[in-house]
Each structure stands twice: as C-alpha cells, then as structure tokens.
Amino acid sequence: MTKEKFVIGLDLGGTNIKGALLDMDGHTREKIRISTLAEQGAEKVVDRMAGVVEDLIQWGNLDKSQILGVGVGVPGQLDYRAGKVKFAPNLHWRDFPLREELVRRLGVPVFLENDGNVAALGEKWAGAAREARNVLAITIGTGIGGGILVDGRIYRGSGGSAAEVGHMIMDENGPLCNCGRRGCLETLTAAPAILRQAREAIAAGRKTSLAAQKELDAKDVFIAAERGDLVAREIIERVSHYLGLAIANLINVLNPDMVVIGGGVARAGDILINPIREKALAHSLEAAAEVVRIVPAHLGNDAGCIGAGALVFQELEVRLV
Amino acid sequence: MTKEKFVIGLDLGGTNIKGALLDMDGHTREKIRISTLAEQGAEKVVDRMAGVVEDLIQWGNLDKSQILGVGVGVPGQLDYRAGKVKFAPNLHWRDFPLREELVRRLGVPVFLENDGNVAALGEKWAGAAREARNVLAITIGTGIGGGILVDGRIYRGSGGSAAEVGHMIMDENGPLCNCGRRGCLETLTAAPAILRQAREAIAAGRKTSLAAQKELDAKDVFIAAERGDLVAREIIERVSHYLGLAIANLINVLNPDMVVIGGGVARAGDILINPIREKALAHSLEAAAEVVRIVPAHLGNDAGCIGAGALVFQELEVRLV
C-alpha cells in the first residue's frame, strides 16, 4: 500500500511565517507559526521557512516522500517563470531566487504565489468561497491586497501582477500613497489610513473618545464607533464609502459570484462589512449585483497558508475526491 | 472529398445588422450590411438576420451543410443558458428567445454573445490583439462597451455581465447616467457626453468654433480640437482624463498584455488615444504598465461580425491550423 500523500503551505509575511500541513482531503492536519525575523537577511529567512517544513513533516510522523510539494504565499511581486521574488517591500527583498533556495534545502517541488492570490484560493479551498466560481478576495490590513479567481483558479494576468486593487485610484487629489501616486484605495482605507484620519481629527481638536487612547490602533476606531463615537463613525463611513465604490466598480467588471473581504481590519466585522456591502450593491449594475454575495473571509489568519497548500494541488492538477 | 466548412458572424446593432462569412483559415470571404429596422418588431428583425445568413451562403456559392454555425453579437444582456436576450435597450427587446428563433429559421447551430465581448474576440482573431493573451477591449461610441479575454477566451463572469466598464463610477457627483447612477464612465466620456459638454460651453457663451456648427456631432469636437479650438481641447482633455484613469484602474486589476480601444468615437485617432494612453500608464503600477500595450482597434466596423464568427470557432472548440 502506498503511503498517504500531503502538501504543505507556507505564508511568508513581514512579521510571521505560518505553515500548514494539508492532507489529500484538504483538511489541515498541523499548523505552525514562527517569527520571520526579516532583518536577519533572506538566507536566514529561507532557513526558517525550511525549518517550518521539517517540523510539519516531523509532527505529522511523515517522511519527505509523502510531501507532494510546498506552496508559498509571498508578500510581493514574483517572477513566476524564474521562481524569483522581484520585489517584496516588507522583507526588503529584491530579485531573490526563493524557489531555488527552498528546493535546494528541501528537495521537494516548490510553488510560489502572491499572498493576495493564495488568500483567495484558501477561501475557495476551505473557507467562505467553497461554492464560488469567480471570486474577488480583498484583504484589508496594513495595505489592501487582492486576489481574483476565474473558474476557481488564480488569475495572475499577463505579468503576474493582477488584482492590485489597493492601487485603484479613487481620488486623484487624495493623500500620497507608498506607490508614489495620490488617492489609491490603500492610502484611503487601509489600517494606516484609518489611524491617520483618527490622529487628524484629534489634532483638529474634534471631540472624540479616541483622544484619550494611549497607543491608538485601527481596532480602537471600530470599538469607539460601536460605542457611538461620532468621529470614529465618520472615519468608518469614509473608509467604507471608498471600499464600497471600488468593489462596485470591480463587480461591474468582473461579475463575480462572490466577494470575500478579509484581513486584520476586516475582523472588525459587521460594522465595516455591512456598509461596504450596502454601497457596493447600490453602486453596481443590477445584473451584476443580483449574482454576487459579499461575505467576510472565514479562514482569518490561516487563509494564506491553507491557500498556499491548495496552490500545490492546483499546480499539480491534482483533483481531490 | 468533404466540402470546405465556414462560419457566419452577425453583428446585431440598433441601426444595422452586419454579417461576415469566415473560412476555416479565419479569413473574411463575404460581408454584408442591412438596416435593423428595430421598430418593425423582433420577429421581423430575426427574419432580416436570417436573410443575411441566406445571402452570405448564396454569395459564397455554398450549401447550408457547409456552415458550422452562426455567431451573433447582441447589444444587451443575455441569458446564455436559455439563449435569450434578457434586455437590449436599443432594440426594445426583453426576454426574447433569439437563439431558438434563429435556429428555427436556419437549422444550424447558433451562438449568442454580448457585443462588447465579440468585439474583443474579433480583435484577437483578426485585429490588433492577435498576439495578446489577456485583453481588455473598450468601445467608445454612443455608450462605453467592454470585453475581457482571459487566455484568449471571452470572460463572461458569473452572470454573463462582466466587462461593464461603462458603468464604473468615476465621479459620484457627476451627471446622471441612463443606468440611474451618477458619474458613470459612460456618462462622462461617450459621444452624448462629448456633445453635452460642447453644448454647455456654447450655452455658457464660451468662444468656440463649435458654436457655428449646425448639426453638432462628437466628431466635430475632435476636428475643432485639431484646429486649435481651446474649448474642444478642454473637452477632450476631460474625456481622456476619465478614460485614462478608468483604464489605469483596470490595468492594475486585470494586468492585461493589451488594451484595445475602438468604437465610433475612438476613430478620432491619436488626438484621443495618445492622452488616454499617457494617463493610463502614468496612473497604473509600474509592474502592470510595463507589460501592457494600449492600441487602437484595427477592425473598425467589422470587429463585431468577425468576432461573432470567431465565437463559433471558440464555442465548437475548433482549432484553426
């Protein structure tokens, strides 16, 4: 009898490396999380990634021959053909041959994918989008990430950079974005934008419970809004306005059956998702609004590594039972 | 020896029905154009469409057994499964069983497709996008149409209404659109929007050569701009601004290798395409801007019927040599 096969998914973030061991039924058997320690340099980070894989194999009482492959979600631009990370700002990597370095350490097939794309695939695989065919996944956190599934498969576009929804320009006279342009969705709605708006309101002397907060966090703005703070409510109103409008335009263009909203900020829940949904449906054409469901992500922090595991199945064209 | 096979493409417009006979090498053998006469009612229009098919068969000295199928580009929303036109505003059709009616008259397979999508496929098949893989086609005319190709095939989305780029909202406080919303791309940049801006400038007493024009046409605005008319130039500046920004956002999301710009208004040429291209590239991320070419459509009025013919090949999964 042949031994049971598995895949491993890694979610490489600026702060943490997460790993998951998935069986052929798509179930998560083991999970692990360690610090990235990006400041120690790329070689050390790859060593740590390889360590996560070795640990998962050991924890699962497996031998390496049982691992079909390792998928990796990467926070940056990829050269898919060469298996290189072209640019990952949070890791300070440029043109790093990640696939080659991992294959050398692990001796199993390695597949790289953008983190927004693996999050979308994770939700399709084991989360909110299981039944969906054409999916837009939006991650609201330190930045705004995106992933598009066409017929259940990742859509990368012609240069591997599709689904950069965070840099859709929503207000040309808006605040300066890290990308050098003004008024990108990210610079109007991601966590730093929420904080900026809170600080500006405090500096302007607006009456708000946020002023009493010591270390202000985007989460605090949602908590204050839930308690009735008017300044916090205004901020969420503005943020959900821009997100709703951007999502409406994307619904008109992509006509997806599902939009999944995830990421740290989205964990605020209904207070953010409800107004986004309302605006997105009101601003998109009836024909497209009728077929789309706008839902919160289910997998939370695990979407990345589960999606990275699912990627291996997709890339190897393995069909599960 | 078996007889040579052909396909027929029909472009059903509010004003004209166009037809093309394509051979298996993808070449256009015969073309025809007649008036739609939509006011005579749907049954009469289908009779006229069937007449175009019969004429093309006769002109080509063919018999019906040589026709693999008839593709039809339709200006409206389709129920693909049922072969029905759900809503075609220019024809005043609602829930019309076009496929069934055509099959009954013709006795050959019939395939329906949205007109924006067939225009994209036409350009891929025999026009500007031959070498392209992921394509966004935008048609600027009485309205703004769109078509998306993913890996060379039409992307319809989950409800068949993908690529409605004309209803991306660019300015929520903008003019009222036919769809009931405000500031859609269409209501800011299509031919009627160009005319509206010209008339407003004249009514406001602005000094412009357009004021002397008897029956003002969108084309006149481009001619005036080329002759140095400042009001006309301002209008084109605004129109290309919104088109450029919308296309930039679509480039970030779709990461296409080609954007094809066609339609009656786009026939103005460089005076419109150049500023659109400049703005679109400046407002999209470098990674996506690097891989995209923004070009004028090649097929002009024939994109629709050629694309509708190509649709038959796509639907029958016929691979050309």
Side-chain angles (χ1 to χ4, degrees), chain A residues 189-312:
Chain A
T189 66
I194 294 171
L195 274 179
R196 188 192 60 235
Q197 292 172 64
R199 291 204 185 103
E200 281 170 3
I202 295 165
R206 300 276 314 269
K207 202 184 151 227
T208 166
S209 62
L210 296 168
Q213 211 86 23
K214 270 202 191 122
E215 287 194 40
L216 204 59
D217 190 86
K219 209 190 305 174
D220 300 321
V221 177
F222 290 98
I223 293 169
E226 265 168 353
R227 290 183 183 153
D229 187 287
L230 291 181
V231 166
R233 287 199 172 175
E234 268 175 36
I235 294 171
I236 293 172
E237 163 75 23
R238 263 198 304 274
V239 164
S240 56
H241 165 81
Y242 284 117
L243 282 164
L245 199 57
I247 290 172
N249 287 349
L250 291 167
I251 287 173
N252 282 343
V253 171
L254 298 172
N255 185 206
D257 39 333
M258 186 164 278
V259 175
V260 185
I261 301 176
V265 172
R267 242 168 283 151
D270 287 349
I271 194 170
L272 180 65
I273 306 286
N274 285 347
I276 290 177
R277 183 189 292 117
E278 198 179 302
K279 278 160 214 279
L281 294 178
H283 285 89
S284 51
L285 290 173
E286 285 78 5
E290 273 168 15
V291 302
V292 72
R293 285 180 58 214
I294 302 174
V295 300
H298 282 185
L299 297 181
N301 277 327
D302 295 334
C305 54
I306 291 176
L311 175 74
V312 179

Side-chain angles (χ1 to χ4, degrees), chain B residues 3 18 88 91-92 101 115 173 186 191 209 224-225 237 256 308 321:
Chain B
K3 282 184 182 167
K18 290 170 211 138
L91 300 167
H92 308 287
E101 291 291 328
D115 58 354
N173 304 312
E186 178 166 301
S209 61
E237 163 74 22
V321 205

Side-chain angles (χ1 to χ4, degrees), chain B residues 46 49-50 72 98-107 110:
Chain B
V46 184
M49 293 170 77
V72 188
L98 179 59
R99 185 171 66 202
E100 188 187 312
E101 291 291 328
L102 274 172
V103 167
R104 192 157 58 76
R105 284 167 177 79
L106 294 170
V110 171

Side-chain angles (χ1 to χ4, degrees), chain A residues 1-5 66:
Chain A
M1 193 186 135
T2 53
K3 281 184 183 168
E4 199 183 348
K5 299 289 186 188
Q66 291 176 271

Side-chain angles (χ1 to χ4, degrees), chain B residues 171-312:
Chain B
D171 174 7
E172 249 196 311
N173 304 312
L176 195 65
C177 181
N178 289 331
C179 77
R181 289 166 198 83
R182 286 195 170 272
C184 294
L185 182 64
E186 178 166 301
T187 200
L188 292 164
T189 65
I194 294 172
L195 274 179
R196 188 192 59 234
Q197 292 173 64
R199 292 206 183 102
E200 282 170 3
I202 295 167
R206 299 277 315 269
K207 203 185 149 222
T208 166
S209 61
L210 296 169
Q213 211 86 22
K214 272 205 189 120
E215 288 195 37
L216 204 60
D217 190 85
K219 211 190 304 174
D220 300 321
V221 178
F222 290 97
I223 293 169
E226 265 167 355
R227 289 182 183 155
D229 187 285
L230 290 182
V231 166
R233 287 197 173 177
E234 268 175 36
I235 294 170
I236 294 172
E237 163 74 22
R238 261 197 305 272
V239 164
S240 57
H241 166 81
Y242 284 117
L243 283 164
L245 199 56
I247 291 173
N249 286 350
L250 291 167
I251 287 173
N252 281 345
V253 172
L254 299 173
N255 186 206
D257 38 336
M258 186 163 278
V259 175
V260 186
I261 301 176
V265 172
R267 243 169 282 153
D270 287 349
I271 194 170
L272 181 65
I273 306 285
N274 284 349
I276 290 177
R277 183 189 293 116
E278 198 179 300
K279 278 160 213 281
L281 295 178
H283 285 90
S284 51
L285 291 173
E286 284 77 5
E290 272 167 15
V291 302
V292 71
R293 285 179 57 213
I294 301 173
V295 301
H298 283 186
L299 297 182
N301 277 327
D302 296 334
C305 54
I306 292 175
L311 175 74
V312 180

Side-chain angles (χ1 to χ4, degrees), chain A:
Chain A
M1 193 186 135
T2 53
K3 281 184 183 168
E4 199 183 348
K5 299 289 186 188
F6 296 84
V7 303
I8 287 173
L10 297 179
D11 178 12
L12 173 60
T15 311
N16 292 309
I17 298 166
K18 290 169 213 139
L21 177 73
L22 304 187
D23 64 25
M24 293 293 288
D25 294 324
H27 296 125
T28 303
R29 290 283 190 95
E30 301 285 349
K31 291 199 294 188
I32 191 170
R33 183 175 75 163
I34 63 168
S35 297
T36 307
L37 307 180
E39 66 280 8
Q40 296 184 355
E43 290 287 333
K44 286 278 166 63
V45 171
V46 184
D47 287 342
R48 296 171 68 76
M49 293 169 79
V52 168
V53 171
E54 304 288 356
D55 280 355
L56 287 168
I57 291 172
Q58 203 181 323
W59 293 7
N61 286 316
L62 312 178
D63 60 68
K64 206 173 270 177
S65 67
Q66 291 176 271
I67 304 298
L68 289 171
V70 174
V72 187
V74 180
Q77 292 163 21
L78 294 168
D79 178 338
Y80 287 95
R81 198 172 295 228
K84 283 186 182 177
V85 180
K86 283 197 282 195
F87 181 42
N90 293 338
L91 300 167
H92 309 286
W93 289 7
R94 271 192 193 275
D95 293 315
F96 182 72
L98 179 59
R99 185 171 65 201
E100 186 186 313
E101 291 291 328
L102 274 172
V103 167
R104 193 157 56 77
R105 283 168 177 78
L106 295 170
V108 300
V110 171
F111 305 93
L112 308 185
E113 185 63 72
N114 174 268
D115 57 354
N117 294 345
V118 292
L121 194 61
E123 291 292 338
K124 164 77 187 161
W125 182 259
R130 264 177 239 231
E131 308 296 321
R133 202 159 62 86
N134 300 305
V135 178
L136 169 65
I138 292 192
T139 313
I140 313 171
T142 314
I144 303 284
I148 294 172
L149 304 183
V150 167
D151 264 335
R153 298 177 65 90
I154 291 169
Y155 173 73
R156 285 179 184 162
S158 296
S161 78
E164 280 286 4
V165 301
H167 296 283
M168 292 174 74
I169 295 175
M170 304 304 293
D171 174 8
E172 249 197 311
N173 304 311
L176 194 65
C177 181
N178 290 330
C179 77
R181 289 166 198 84
R182 286 196 171 272
C184 293
L185 182 63
E186 178 165 304
T187 199
L188 292 164
T189 66
I194 294 171
L195 274 179
R196 188 192 60 235
Q197 292 172 64
R199 291 204 185 103
E200 281 170 3
I202 295 165
R206 300 276 314 269
K207 202 184 151 227
T208 166
S209 62
L210 296 168
Q213 211 86 23
K214 270 202 191 122
E215 287 194 40
L216 204 59
D217 190 86
K219 209 190 305 174
D220 300 321
V221 177
F222 290 98
I223 293 169
E226 265 168 353
R227 290 183 183 153
D229 187 287
L230 291 181
V231 166
R233 287 199 172 175
E234 268 175 36
I235 294 171
I236 293 172
E237 163 75 23
R238 263 198 304 274
V239 164
S240 56
H241 165 81
Y242 284 117
L243 282 164
L245 199 57
I247 290 172
N249 287 349
L250 291 167
I251 287 173
N252 282 343
V253 171
L254 298 172
N255 185 206
D257 39 333
M258 186 164 278
V259 175
V260 185
I261 301 176
V265 172
R267 242 168 283 151
D270 287 349
I271 194 170
L272 180 65
I273 306 286
N274 285 347
I276 290 177
R277 183 189 292 117
E278 198 179 302
K279 278 160 214 279
L281 294 178
H283 285 89
S284 51
L285 290 173
E286 285 78 5
E290 273 168 15
V291 302
V292 72
R293 285 180 58 214
I294 302 174
V295 300
H298 282 185
L299 297 181
N301 277 327
D302 295 334
C305 54
I306 291 176
L311 175 74
V312 179
F313 291 116
Q314 176 177 301
E315 293 290 317
L316 295 175
E317 300 278 357
V318 176
R319 261 174 217 282
L320 295 201
V321 204

